[in-house]
Amino acid sequence: MFPAFFMGAQIRDRLAHSIENCFHMAKRFLFTTIFLMILPHLHFLSAQERDYDKWLELEQESEDQSDLLEYLEWRQDNPLDINRATQAELQRLPWITPSMAQAIVLRRQQSGGITALRELDGIGGLDAELMRILKPYLICQSSSKRTGYQAEIRQRLNVNQQVSSGFINKIYSGDRYKIYNRLRLNLRDRLRFGAMTEKDPGESDLHDLMRAYAVLNVAELNSEIVLGHFTVESGQGLVFSPLFQIGRTYDPVLSQGRRLTGLRPSVSAAEYGGYYGMAVRVVSGQSEFILFSSKKRWDATVENDTVRSIVLTGLHRTATESDKKNKLLVHTGGLIFSRTLLKSLRLALAWRGDHYSHFIARGEELKDHHDFTGKSNRVTGLQIDFFKGPFIFYGEWARNRAEAEAYRTGIRLQGKGKSLLLSWHHFSPAFDDPQAKGFNQAFNNETGLYGAFRSKIKENLILAAYYEYSRNPWPRYRLPMPNFGRHESMATMEWRTTRTVAILLRLKHRRDHVTENYQDGFGNEVKKITSRTNWHGTGQIDITRPPIYLRTRLAFNLRKQQVGSPQWPAVRDSSGLIIWQQVQIKSPSWLNVTARCTFFDSPSYDTRFYSYENDLRGVWRNKMLYGRGMRWFLFCSVRPFRPLTVGIKWDGTFYDDRDHYGSGWDRVNSKYENRISIQWDWRWSQR
């Protein structure tokens, strides 16, 4: 009885302590809320929030520019002309499928031009909801009218108020500021230029990361030439991995099988995204040809002319990190040839060859047995896309230098308000590609299947769900035995109860296996394969009352772990809870104010939460929260005059259960984490 009573006392003490701290934090939140509720009386105009967290799904902490977010915001400032856009350009928007793009081009050809976007309603499955999403990214103007010039300058600076050990002990060579600069210029769609520099906190070089490009569009020859940094996309990503893909949480059908052939200049802040060199794209009738050559340097640990590890952080703050900078030179060449047959069948052949300046060695563990090793690699792929009415079939097969194969294929049915998808994939253990890892993707040692549907039951009610099963043919990290299945499923309901109130409910389940360390009855440490079950639930309410926009979210994480035997108790079971309130007031002409307050209680790393924050234009922050505490931010964007927009963000996190955060030289001895960010956007245009 005593152990049970003592455990109950611990729980009561923890609960009482949490309630006391939440009371003090709630007082701060109350004053903030009262202030924000007074603001509507200033009679600002309302506008819809940019809700990109529906499309970006990340399960790692990041503070980078998503390439998808960068593209969407650029396209919002430079809308796609529906009368001049090619089928490939239309498909680049995440919501437009190949059949939709084909239907739009066909309607344009038959009618001699589209005079208003509302004419697209009902074409190829486009409905009112999708048109509302697409409206900011499309315009409709005369096909003979061309753009004059567009210029854009962006500068951003942020700094943490607390100082980490690396700065206190003078281990980091630079200051505490993160500085970002970007320039873009478009001259009548004939010439385009772009450049970007960035330094992280602790780095001394203002252009530690630098990107630049120049694009010449030769319309008379239906071709373009790109010099500098660029990205190449193809098929399902087995040969050319894309920098972005939309998450499957919001639309589990649309997120699959959307990759397409494309060449695009890039000034993304992703450290290892894309290529650097020269690329040419030529379009002739129903055929498209892309050819490129690239030479780029990666950070790596090199010993005796052998690469022991490739470093993907991109940080150069200490002498050790700087010694690994640009140690590996990567030469890459590639080509893509695609052709559309009978207006509904598209075939493509893709090839990529890589040569590394140093020999890349594999690890010595059993799981590393099939990893890439050598100084050169090549990947060849064949792609197919067939779309006829509501039926879409897609697939890609690829083979590498080690003669290992991989394929991904699927079938999708799409009707009015309803879509259904079934896909399957197989990646051989030896289909390992250092380039794919550089793009933060890996297509090896996995086989599985995926099924999903999304249906508009009523005009105001949408249901969606997916199920995925996968397994590893060869041992992987923390699982020395292969062929243990992983199961993941999700169900979502979106219900717009009135014109101003929307409700979102989501439940996600995941079950997999890992190896954990336990102690036996004699105190010896033993490894056991355990089964982990994770449940994640989200409830969200959106209220739009012009000129104010409110969002409330409540989410929980529940984790249970078993080893399949009563003698090994599941001691790592835990649960977490998070709730946040966001208030936004936005004027389409000159002002945007957003505030959020978050309370979280997650006792372990395994029940961590991710707080998506999209505020400063072009920035997508995915803040990881675990432990117990409160997070808040206040953001204000002002447009004092037409060319200039200034954004300021002040954010902070209070940890109630610890007196420090971070590790190593990033450790900060404080309960508080505060940061200030400011950004300037200059835009000039003439049409």
Side-chain angles (χ1 to χ4, degrees), residues 60-124:
Q60 61 183 13
E61 185 170 36
S62 64
E63 189 184 343
D64 218 337
Q65 290 181 263
S66 161
D67 207 59
L68 174 59
L69 178 61
E70 180 186 356
Y71 171 74
L72 290 178
E73 294 210 347
W74 174 79
R75 182 54 73 192
Q76 197 169 15
D77 295 329
N78 303 272
L80 192 62
D81 183 6
I82 202 69
N83 281 312
R84 294 176 54 201
T86 65
Q87 185 170 329
E89 289 175 328
L90 290 169
Q91 285 180 239
R92 191 172 293 278
L93 290 170
W95 309 275
I96 295 183
T97 64
S99 58
M100 291 178 183
Q102 184 191 43
I104 292 173
V105 173
L106 185 61
R107 171 64 65 89
R108 184 178 68 196
Q109 294 172 347
Q110 292 174 345
S111 62
I114 297 173
T115 59
L117 293 178
R118 60 177 178 269
E119 296 178 20
L120 301 179
D121 195 7
I123 297 179

Side-chain angles (χ1 to χ4, degrees), residues 367-592:
K367 67 178 181 62
D368 304 322
H369 179 72
H370 291 290
D371 285 1
F372 172 82
T373 182
K375 296 187 67 173
S376 63
N377 189 29
R378 63 179 181 273
V379 186
T380 305
L382 178 64
Q383 305 150 21
I384 180 173
D385 291 282
F386 177 78
F387 40 92
K388 190 70 174 178
F391 177 82
I392 300 174
F393 173 80
Y394 63 89
E396 181 177 12
W397 169 88
R399 191 173 187 176
N400 67 0
R401 186 201 64 170
E403 298 186 354
E405 298 181 351
Y407 67 82
R408 186 201 294 270
T409 186
I411 298 173
R412 182 167 65 202
L413 297 174
Q414 186 156 345
K416 190 173 182 180
K418 296 179 176 62
S419 54
L420 179 69
L421 178 134
L422 178 64
S423 69
W424 52 98
H425 65 270
H426 173 73
F427 310 138
S428 298
F431 194 79
D432 186 53
D433 186 0
Q435 286 273 8
K437 292 179 180 178
F439 282 87
N440 213 12
Q441 305 208 22
F443 298 105
N444 71 308
N445 190 26
E446 184 177 290
T447 182
L449 58 87
Y450 176 88
F453 82 91
R454 189 172 190 267
S455 177
K456 181 183 288 187
I457 306 300
K458 296 181 180 179
E459 198 62 31
N460 62 340
L461 179 62
I462 297 176
L463 300 179
Y466 73 78
Y467 169 77
E468 181 179 38
Y469 170 80
S470 61
R471 60 182 179 85
N472 303 108
W474 187 259
R476 63 176 175 85
Y477 175 67
R478 294 187 66 187
L479 190 60
M481 299 295 291
N483 292 323
F484 277 90
R486 292 192 302 276
H487 306 262
E488 183 175 309
S489 57
M490 185 213 67
T492 300
M493 182 190 76
E494 297 178 71
W495 181 28
R496 183 167 292 278
T497 58
T498 65
R499 295 184 61 184
T500 59
V501 179
I503 297 175
L504 170 68
L505 297 176
R506 179 185 301 131
L507 182 63
K508 188 175 183 179
H509 170 263
R510 178 184 297 170
R511 185 173 181 268
D512 62 359
H513 296 80
V514 295
T515 300
E516 292 281 5
N517 295 326
Y518 291 89
Q519 284 190 346
D520 61 15
F522 301 98
N524 300 315
E525 188 176 273
V526 295
K527 292 182 179 294
K528 289 287 183 178
I529 295 178
T530 69
S531 171
R532 299 185 304 182
T533 301
N534 292 77
W535 290 91
H536 176 80
T538 301
Q540 179 175 294
I541 299 178
D542 291 299
I543 302 176
T544 305
R545 292 275 188 180
I548 197 165
Y549 180 93
L550 298 175
R551 169 171 291 178
T552 304
R553 177 177 291 184
L554 173 67
F556 73 87
N557 278 331
L558 176 63
R559 183 189 182 210
K560 290 189 174 296
Q561 186 163 320
Q562 297 177 345
V563 295
S565 173
Q567 73 180 96
W568 303 101
V571 295
R572 290 173 174 80
D573 292 1
S574 58
S575 60
L577 186 69
I578 187 171
I579 182 171
W580 55 259
Q581 174 68 57
Q582 179 169 298
V583 184
Q584 182 184 41
I585 301 167
K586 186 175 179 181
S587 163
S589 58
W590 65 280
L591 181 67
N592 176 15

Side-chain angles (χ1 to χ4, degrees), residues 178-336:
K178 182 172 184 176
I179 302 174
Y180 173 90
N181 297 283
R182 189 181 73 187
L183 166 68
R184 278 177 171 167
L185 181 63
N186 183 359
L187 301 175
R188 297 186 61 82
D189 288 339
R190 172 73 72 171
L191 288 172
R192 286 180 289 159
F193 303 94
M196 181 274 297
T197 64
E198 183 187 59
K199 70 168 286 292
D200 290 305
E203 295 176 338
S204 58
D205 193 347
L206 286 175
H207 54 274
D208 183 82
L209 176 66
M210 184 167 61
R211 300 277 187 266
Y213 68 79
V215 181
L216 173 62
N217 183 12
V218 187
E220 297 79 5
L221 300 177
N222 290 326
S223 62
E224 66 177 0
I225 302 172
V226 181
L227 298 175
H229 290 89
F230 56 89
T231 63
V232 179
E233 301 171 80
S234 175
Q236 305 305 305
L238 300 184
V239 180
F240 296 104
S241 300
L243 278 179
F244 65 77
Q245 61 185 39
I246 62 176
R248 59 191 179 186
T249 300
Y250 175 69
D251 193 330
V253 176
L254 190 62
S255 62
Q256 303 297 308
R258 281 213 78 275
R259 300 184 179 98
L260 66 153
T261 300
L263 168 67
R264 186 165 62 89
S266 175
V267 287
S268 170
E271 294 282 348
Y272 291 94
Y275 304 96
Y276 176 72
M278 178 178 178
V280 178
R281 174 178 173 266
V282 180
V283 178
S284 177
Q286 300 298 316
S287 300
E288 181 179 8
F289 183 76
I290 296 175
L291 178 67
F292 75 90
S293 176
S294 168
K295 184 169 69 172
K296 196 173 181 181
R297 291 189 175 273
W298 289 4
D299 294 357
T301 302
V302 179
E303 299 176 358
N304 299 323
D305 202 33
T306 300
V307 176
R308 298 300 177 184
S309 64
I310 297 175
V311 183
L312 301 177
T313 62
L315 297 175
H316 309 115
R317 304 166 300 180
T318 67
T320 302
E321 292 173 344
S322 298
D323 288 342
K324 301 175 182 179
K325 184 176 181 180
N326 296 334
K327 291 296 184 180
L328 181 62
L329 180 62
V330 184
H331 293 265
T332 302
L335 62 86
I336 305 172

